[in-house]
Amino acid sequence: MTVTGRGIDRARVAEIGQREEAEYRRRTPKSAALFERAREALPLGVASSFQAYDPYPLFMTDARGSRIWDADGNEYIDFDMAFGVLAAGHSHPILAEALQRRVANGTCYTFPVEDGVALAEEIKARFDADLVRFSNSGTEATMDAIRVARGYTGREKIVKFEGGYHGHHDDVLVSIQPPRDAMGPDDQPATVPASAGIPRSRVAETVVAPFNEPEVLAAILEAHRGEIAAIIVEPVQFNIGVVPPKPGFLERLRELADAHGIVLIFDEVKTGVVLAWGGAFEHFGVKPDLFCLAKSIGGGIPIGAFGGRREVMRVIETLEGSQQFAAMGGALGTGIDRTTIPGGATRVAHLGTFNGNPLSMTAGLVTLTQILTRDVYPGLNAMAERLTSGCQGVIDEHGLPGYAINVGPKGCVMYTPGRVTNYRDFIGLDSELWSASFYYLANRGILLPPGPDDQWTLSVQHTEDEIDRHVEVFRAFAEELAA
Ligand SMILES: Cc1ncc(COP(=O)(O)O)c(C=O)c1O
């Protein structure tokens, strides 16, 4: 028997992985055929490269509540929930009814609607914010928030953390999961583009820091004193499994941002209205200057939002009152000395044809005020604890290398030798074991996200029986591994 130092039989992992992948292919011929067709029309056969995985993605046809069906009619309990979009579950009946009415009455006006005002008010209340703006995705929300921070401070560089994902615009599509040989030293991570096509000039504006290492960050900020407009952070790193902040880390970020006059941006695209009613802000009790939202706030309809302190958000109206304005000596003549700002702009542009469209606004308003209400969070957290402790019990029983972890209703099994505190620990993840578990569970109706960097998300439509079924299938997987 080939046993690793971590006590599992590698040959057994490979055998189960191959057998389950073959079974996946056997169960899903229509997805395979659709994929062959798709490859002739779409690069990688998908609309977003995140959707591509080996041997081919499942093509889905229907979803309701916590269930989803593929093109071959296989039913799954959905724990992926669209990369965490669906804390409300699929097509929540209240939302479905509201959207039917909305669709019958126009879905895009490019004139403002009352639902947009009410949704902004709801977000203000949850995140103790002064002003909010809408976009259509998380990518747009982080892109816009960064521009606002740059406009407010008059500085150009930003800091992001290695392993953090903030969408696919050039400023932040760096050091997502950089290769070991390119990532640089622990205390000075290199800025590594995660895509071809990103200009060197953009990369130069993004400084990368290690997550959960506040004193390394302090040194980096010192080295760039007066240059950094924003620190953008996922309060929990949810794009390398589940990596919570160490106690005190977010508080220290707040202090450092204040000390350096930097705008602190919480990217709450995954955490907002999921970890708690008021997102990571409420869960951890640390308030950023700006926050970004998307995913779950729309109940499954495309939407994004960002907001925060009036003084910062107000640069969308005027630069007066901003740090940039103060640095220019305040009011010069009748207002801002336009010649000192590139292009003579006097405010930050925030634009978008679909921003605040009635479909998204109604979806967001109904989701937040009628579905993800304050009272649902204890139940979501209790189910998450049940799933995590169930999986951890199985891991302990069978000596699997790894651990189960959740923060709020989002969690996963991390197949790593030790606890992950930042991206460099995550590199040790056993991807072969993860892959075997993915196919094993999918073939038995438990659908996880198709990559170890993502995690399960529970919705208000999942049940305890479904959690127990998940644990039961995971136990069967562990037993087979140990057999
Ligand atoms: C933390 C975080 N920020 C931003 C984004 C980008 O959001 P979108 O895919 O809606 O552009 C994501 C997407 O997964 C995310 O996880």
Side-chain angles (χ1 to χ4, degrees), residues 50 83 136-140 142 165-168 234 239 267 269-270 294-295 303:
F50 276 137
F83 293 144
N136 304 288
S137 67
T139 295
E140 289 177 49
T142 62
Y165 180 71
H166 304 290
H168 58 274
E234 289 179 80
N239 284 284
D267 178 349
V269 165
K270 278 194 162 177
K295 293 199 192 265
I303 188 170

PDB file of all heavy atoms in Angstrom, residues 50 83 136-140 142 165-168 234 239 267 269-270 294-295 303, ligand 1:
ATOM      1  N   PHE A  50     -14.376  30.753 -15.692  1.00  0.00           N
ATOM      2  CA  PHE A  50     -14.585  30.062 -14.411  1.00  0.00           C
ATOM      3  C   PHE A  50     -15.503  28.848 -14.549  1.00  0.00           C
ATOM      4  O   PHE A  50     -15.514  27.972 -13.686  1.00  0.00           O
ATOM      5  CB  PHE A  50     -15.225  31.017 -13.392  1.00  0.00           C
ATOM      6  CG  PHE A  50     -14.239  31.886 -12.675  1.00  0.00           C
ATOM      7  CD1 PHE A  50     -14.493  33.225 -12.467  1.00  0.00           C
ATOM      8  CD2 PHE A  50     -13.058  31.355 -12.164  1.00  0.00           C
ATOM      9  CE1 PHE A  50     -13.586  34.040 -11.786  1.00  0.00           C
ATOM     10  CE2 PHE A  50     -12.148  32.159 -11.485  1.00  0.00           C
ATOM     11  CZ  PHE A  50     -12.410  33.501 -11.300  1.00  0.00           C
ATOM     12  N   PHE A  83     -21.710  29.869  -7.307  1.00  0.00           N
ATOM     13  CA  PHE A  83     -20.550  30.543  -6.701  1.00  0.00           C
ATOM     14  C   PHE A  83     -20.964  31.483  -5.572  1.00  0.00           C
ATOM     15  O   PHE A  83     -20.393  32.558  -5.388  1.00  0.00           O
ATOM     16  CB  PHE A  83     -19.736  31.330  -7.744  1.00  0.00           C
ATOM     17  CG  PHE A  83     -19.027  30.484  -8.766  1.00  0.00           C
ATOM     18  CD1 PHE A  83     -18.916  30.922 -10.083  1.00  0.00           C
ATOM     19  CD2 PHE A  83     -18.423  29.293  -8.424  1.00  0.00           C
ATOM     20  CE1 PHE A  83     -18.241  30.162 -11.039  1.00  0.00           C
ATOM     21  CE2 PHE A  83     -17.744  28.527  -9.367  1.00  0.00           C
ATOM     22  CZ  PHE A  83     -17.660  28.958 -10.676  1.00  0.00           C
ATOM     23  N   ASN A 136     -23.587  46.349 -12.134  1.00  0.00           N
ATOM     24  CA  ASN A 136     -24.222  45.113 -12.605  1.00  0.00           C
ATOM     25  C   ASN A 136     -23.473  43.848 -12.220  1.00  0.00           C
ATOM     26  O   ASN A 136     -23.914  42.754 -12.533  1.00  0.00           O
ATOM     27  CB  ASN A 136     -24.370  45.164 -14.130  1.00  0.00           C
ATOM     28  CG  ASN A 136     -25.137  46.397 -14.528  1.00  0.00           C
ATOM     29  OD1 ASN A 136     -26.333  46.468 -14.309  1.00  0.00           O
ATOM     30  ND2 ASN A 136     -24.444  47.382 -15.060  1.00  0.00           N
ATOM     31  N   SER A 137     -22.327  44.004 -11.570  1.00  0.00           N
ATOM     32  CA  SER A 137     -21.534  42.832 -11.194  1.00  0.00           C
ATOM     33  C   SER A 137     -20.569  43.245 -10.100  1.00  0.00           C
ATOM     34  O   SER A 137     -20.364  44.448  -9.846  1.00  0.00           O
ATOM     35  CB  SER A 137     -20.731  42.324 -12.403  1.00  0.00           C
ATOM     36  OG  SER A 137     -19.758  43.298 -12.750  1.00  0.00           O
ATOM     37  N   GLY A 138     -19.948  42.231  -9.514  1.00  0.00           N
ATOM     38  CA  GLY A 138     -18.928  42.508  -8.510  1.00  0.00           C
ATOM     39  C   GLY A 138     -17.719  43.186  -9.121  1.00  0.00           C
ATOM     40  O   GLY A 138     -17.098  44.065  -8.504  1.00  0.00           O
ATOM     41  N   THR A 139     -17.376  42.787 -10.327  1.00  0.00           N
ATOM     42  CA  THR A 139     -16.234  43.394 -11.009  1.00  0.00           C
ATOM     43  C   THR A 139     -16.427  44.897 -11.155  1.00  0.00           C
ATOM     44  O   THR A 139     -15.535  45.694 -10.854  1.00  0.00           O
ATOM     45  CB  THR A 139     -16.065  42.755 -12.413  1.00  0.00           C
ATOM     46  OG1 THR A 139     -15.732  41.388 -12.236  1.00  0.00           O
ATOM     47  CG2 THR A 139     -14.991  43.449 -13.228  1.00  0.00           C
ATOM     48  N   GLU A 140     -17.593  45.277 -11.612  1.00  0.00           N
ATOM     49  CA  GLU A 140     -17.855  46.716 -11.766  1.00  0.00           C
ATOM     50  C   GLU A 140     -17.832  47.416 -10.418  1.00  0.00           C
ATOM     51  O   GLU A 140     -17.347  48.548 -10.306  1.00  0.00           O
ATOM     52  CB  GLU A 140     -19.212  46.929 -12.428  1.00  0.00           C
ATOM     53  CG  GLU A 140     -19.240  46.550 -13.887  1.00  0.00           C
ATOM     54  CD  GLU A 140     -20.641  46.730 -14.462  1.00  0.00           C
ATOM     55  OE1 GLU A 140     -21.247  47.791 -14.261  1.00  0.00           O
ATOM     56  OE2 GLU A 140     -21.135  45.791 -15.091  1.00  0.00           O
ATOM     57  N   THR A 142     -16.095  46.707  -7.679  1.00  0.00           N
ATOM     58  CA  THR A 142     -14.734  46.952  -7.161  1.00  0.00           C
ATOM     59  C   THR A 142     -13.999  47.954  -8.055  1.00  0.00           C
ATOM     60  O   THR A 142     -13.242  48.789  -7.566  1.00  0.00           O
ATOM     61  CB  THR A 142     -13.920  45.646  -7.055  1.00  0.00           C
ATOM     62  OG1 THR A 142     -13.754  45.069  -8.348  1.00  0.00           O
ATOM     63  CG2 THR A 142     -14.587  44.656  -6.118  1.00  0.00           C
ATOM     64  N   TYR A 165      -9.532  37.660  -4.705  1.00  0.00           N
ATOM     65  CA  TYR A 165     -10.119  37.881  -6.034  1.00  0.00           C
ATOM     66  C   TYR A 165     -11.153  38.996  -5.927  1.00  0.00           C
ATOM     67  O   TYR A 165     -12.005  38.978  -5.039  1.00  0.00           O
ATOM     68  CB  TYR A 165     -10.794  36.600  -6.553  1.00  0.00           C
ATOM     69  CG  TYR A 165     -11.412  36.779  -7.922  1.00  0.00           C
ATOM     70  CD1 TYR A 165     -10.607  36.923  -9.044  1.00  0.00           C
ATOM     71  CD2 TYR A 165     -12.795  36.833  -8.093  1.00  0.00           C
ATOM     72  CE1 TYR A 165     -11.159  37.112 -10.307  1.00  0.00           C
ATOM     73  CE2 TYR A 165     -13.357  37.015  -9.351  1.00  0.00           C
ATOM     74  CZ  TYR A 165     -12.534  37.154 -10.450  1.00  0.00           C
ATOM     75  OH  TYR A 165     -13.082  37.347 -11.703  1.00  0.00           O
ATOM     76  N   HIS A 166     -11.040  39.965  -6.823  1.00  0.00           N
ATOM     77  CA  HIS A 166     -11.967  41.104  -6.775  1.00  0.00           C
ATOM     78  C   HIS A 166     -12.602  41.368  -8.132  1.00  0.00           C
ATOM     79  O   HIS A 166     -12.980  42.497  -8.426  1.00  0.00           O
ATOM     80  CB  HIS A 166     -11.222  42.358  -6.295  1.00  0.00           C
ATOM     81  CG  HIS A 166     -10.543  42.177  -4.972  1.00  0.00           C
ATOM     82  ND1 HIS A 166     -11.237  42.058  -3.796  1.00  0.00           N
ATOM     83  CD2 HIS A 166      -9.229  42.057  -4.649  1.00  0.00           C
ATOM     84  CE1 HIS A 166     -10.376  41.888  -2.789  1.00  0.00           C
ATOM     85  NE2 HIS A 166      -9.162  41.873  -3.282  1.00  0.00           N
ATOM     86  N   GLY A 167     -12.661  40.326  -8.983  1.00  0.00           N
ATOM     87  CA  GLY A 167     -13.246  40.523 -10.296  1.00  0.00           C
ATOM     88  C   GLY A 167     -12.167  40.578 -11.357  1.00  0.00           C
ATOM     89  O   GLY A 167     -10.980  40.389 -11.072  1.00  0.00           O
ATOM     90  N   HIS A 168     -12.601  40.848 -12.595  1.00  0.00           N
ATOM     91  CA  HIS A 168     -11.679  40.632 -13.714  1.00  0.00           C
ATOM     92  C   HIS A 168     -11.205  41.912 -14.399  1.00  0.00           C
ATOM     93  O   HIS A 168     -10.849  41.897 -15.573  1.00  0.00           O
ATOM     94  CB  HIS A 168     -12.298  39.660 -14.722  1.00  0.00           C
ATOM     95  CG  HIS A 168     -13.619  40.120 -15.285  1.00  0.00           C
ATOM     96  ND1 HIS A 168     -14.814  39.883 -14.654  1.00  0.00           N
ATOM     97  CD2 HIS A 168     -13.913  40.782 -16.412  1.00  0.00           C
ATOM     98  CE1 HIS A 168     -15.795  40.385 -15.373  1.00  0.00           C
ATOM     99  NE2 HIS A 168     -15.271  40.940 -16.450  1.00  0.00           N
ATOM    100  N   GLU A 234     -10.882  41.112   0.737  1.00  0.00           N
ATOM    101  CA  GLU A 234     -12.010  40.239   1.072  1.00  0.00           C
ATOM    102  C   GLU A 234     -11.901  39.987   2.571  1.00  0.00           C
ATOM    103  O   GLU A 234     -10.904  39.392   3.003  1.00  0.00           O
ATOM    104  CB  GLU A 234     -11.891  38.894   0.373  1.00  0.00           C
ATOM    105  CG  GLU A 234     -12.097  38.853  -1.104  1.00  0.00           C
ATOM    106  CD  GLU A 234     -11.907  37.414  -1.605  1.00  0.00           C
ATOM    107  OE1 GLU A 234     -12.824  36.599  -1.476  1.00  0.00           O
ATOM    108  OE2 GLU A 234     -10.814  37.105  -2.111  1.00  0.00           O
ATOM    109  N   ASN A 239     -11.831  33.025  -2.045  1.00  0.00           N
ATOM    110  CA  ASN A 239     -11.473  32.530  -3.378  1.00  0.00           C
ATOM    111  C   ASN A 239     -10.252  31.626  -3.319  1.00  0.00           C
ATOM    112  O   ASN A 239      -9.685  31.264  -4.353  1.00  0.00           O
ATOM    113  CB  ASN A 239     -11.291  33.688  -4.349  1.00  0.00           C
ATOM    114  CG  ASN A 239     -12.654  34.248  -4.773  1.00  0.00           C
ATOM    115  OD1 ASN A 239     -13.337  33.642  -5.589  1.00  0.00           O
ATOM    116  ND2 ASN A 239     -13.071  35.353  -4.200  1.00  0.00           N
ATOM    117  N   ASP A 267     -14.285  44.210   0.119  1.00  0.00           N
ATOM    118  CA  ASP A 267     -14.976  43.551  -0.984  1.00  0.00           C
ATOM    119  C   ASP A 267     -15.911  42.511  -0.364  1.00  0.00           C
ATOM    120  O   ASP A 267     -15.491  41.417  -0.003  1.00  0.00           O
ATOM    121  CB  ASP A 267     -13.955  42.902  -1.926  1.00  0.00           C
ATOM    122  CG  ASP A 267     -14.637  42.163  -3.072  1.00  0.00           C
ATOM    123  OD1 ASP A 267     -15.871  41.983  -2.999  1.00  0.00           O
ATOM    124  OD2 ASP A 267     -13.937  41.759  -4.016  1.00  0.00           O
ATOM    125  N   VAL A 269     -18.455  41.138  -1.854  1.00  0.00           N
ATOM    126  CA  VAL A 269     -19.222  40.487  -2.917  1.00  0.00           C
ATOM    127  C   VAL A 269     -19.671  39.089  -2.469  1.00  0.00           C
ATOM    128  O   VAL A 269     -20.789  38.660  -2.748  1.00  0.00           O
ATOM    129  CB  VAL A 269     -18.389  40.440  -4.216  1.00  0.00           C
ATOM    130  CG1 VAL A 269     -18.980  39.473  -5.233  1.00  0.00           C
ATOM    131  CG2 VAL A 269     -18.304  41.844  -4.814  1.00  0.00           C
ATOM    132  N   LYS A 270     -18.811  38.386  -1.740  1.00  0.00           N
ATOM    133  CA  LYS A 270     -19.212  37.057  -1.248  1.00  0.00           C
ATOM    134  C   LYS A 270     -19.755  37.093   0.183  1.00  0.00           C
ATOM    135  O   LYS A 270     -20.567  36.252   0.542  1.00  0.00           O
ATOM    136  CB  LYS A 270     -18.032  36.085  -1.324  1.00  0.00           C
ATOM    137  CG  LYS A 270     -17.840  35.490  -2.717  1.00  0.00           C
ATOM    138  CD  LYS A 270     -16.897  34.299  -2.684  1.00  0.00           C
ATOM    139  CE  LYS A 270     -17.060  33.456  -3.936  1.00  0.00           C
ATOM    140  NZ  LYS A 270     -16.120  32.336  -3.962  1.00  0.00           N
ATOM    141  N   ALA A 294     -22.418  42.333  -4.472  1.00  0.00           N
ATOM    142  CA  ALA A 294     -22.944  41.785  -5.733  1.00  0.00           C
ATOM    143  C   ALA A 294     -23.592  40.447  -5.351  1.00  0.00           C
ATOM    144  O   ALA A 294     -24.180  40.351  -4.279  1.00  0.00           O
ATOM    145  CB  ALA A 294     -21.848  41.622  -6.780  1.00  0.00           C
ATOM    146  N   LYS A 295     -23.451  39.446  -6.205  1.00  0.00           N
ATOM    147  CA  LYS A 295     -23.920  38.084  -5.916  1.00  0.00           C
ATOM    148  C   LYS A 295     -25.248  38.052  -5.148  1.00  0.00           C
ATOM    149  O   LYS A 295     -26.281  38.362  -5.709  1.00  0.00           O
ATOM    150  CB  LYS A 295     -22.826  37.308  -5.172  1.00  0.00           C
ATOM    151  CG  LYS A 295     -21.581  37.061  -6.070  1.00  0.00           C
ATOM    152  CD  LYS A 295     -20.718  35.953  -5.556  1.00  0.00           C
ATOM    153  CE  LYS A 295     -19.378  35.882  -6.245  1.00  0.00           C
ATOM    154  NZ  LYS A 295     -19.277  34.985  -7.351  1.00  0.00           N
ATOM    155  N   ILE A 303     -26.428  42.018 -10.489  1.00  0.00           N
ATOM    156  CA  ILE A 303     -26.446  43.303  -9.780  1.00  0.00           C
ATOM    157  C   ILE A 303     -25.095  43.490  -9.097  1.00  0.00           C
ATOM    158  O   ILE A 303     -24.397  42.517  -8.800  1.00  0.00           O
ATOM    159  CB  ILE A 303     -27.586  43.339  -8.729  1.00  0.00           C
ATOM    160  CG1 ILE A 303     -27.747  44.742  -8.132  1.00  0.00           C
ATOM    161  CG2 ILE A 303     -27.358  42.312  -7.628  1.00  0.00           C
ATOM    162  CD1 ILE A 303     -28.997  44.909  -7.272  1.00  0.00           C
TER     163      ILE A 303
HETATM  164  C1  LIG B   1     -14.841  38.618  -3.598  1.00  0.00           C
HETATM  165  C2  LIG B   1     -15.248  38.834  -5.022  1.00  0.00           C
HETATM  166  N1  LIG B   1     -15.193  40.062  -5.556  1.00  0.00           N
HETATM  167  C3  LIG B   1     -15.561  40.311  -6.809  1.00  0.00           C
HETATM  168  C4  LIG B   1     -16.009  39.301  -7.625  1.00  0.00           C
HETATM  169  C5  LIG B   1     -16.425  39.593  -9.021  1.00  0.00           C
HETATM  170  O1  LIG B   1     -17.799  39.515  -9.131  1.00  0.00           O
HETATM  171  P1  LIG B   1     -18.472  39.279 -10.567  1.00  0.00           P
HETATM  172  O2  LIG B   1     -18.132  37.887 -10.971  1.00  0.00           O
HETATM  173  O3  LIG B   1     -19.931  39.498 -10.305  1.00  0.00           O
HETATM  174  O4  LIG B   1     -17.911  40.285 -11.488  1.00  0.00           O
HETATM  175  C6  LIG B   1     -16.092  38.006  -7.115  1.00  0.00           C
HETATM  176  C7  LIG B   1     -16.560  36.899  -7.959  1.00  0.00           C
HETATM  177  O5  LIG B   1     -16.472  35.748  -7.629  1.00  0.00           O
HETATM  178  C8  LIG B   1     -15.689  37.759  -5.779  1.00  0.00           C
HETATM  179  O6  LIG B   1     -15.710  36.534  -5.249  1.00  0.00           O
END
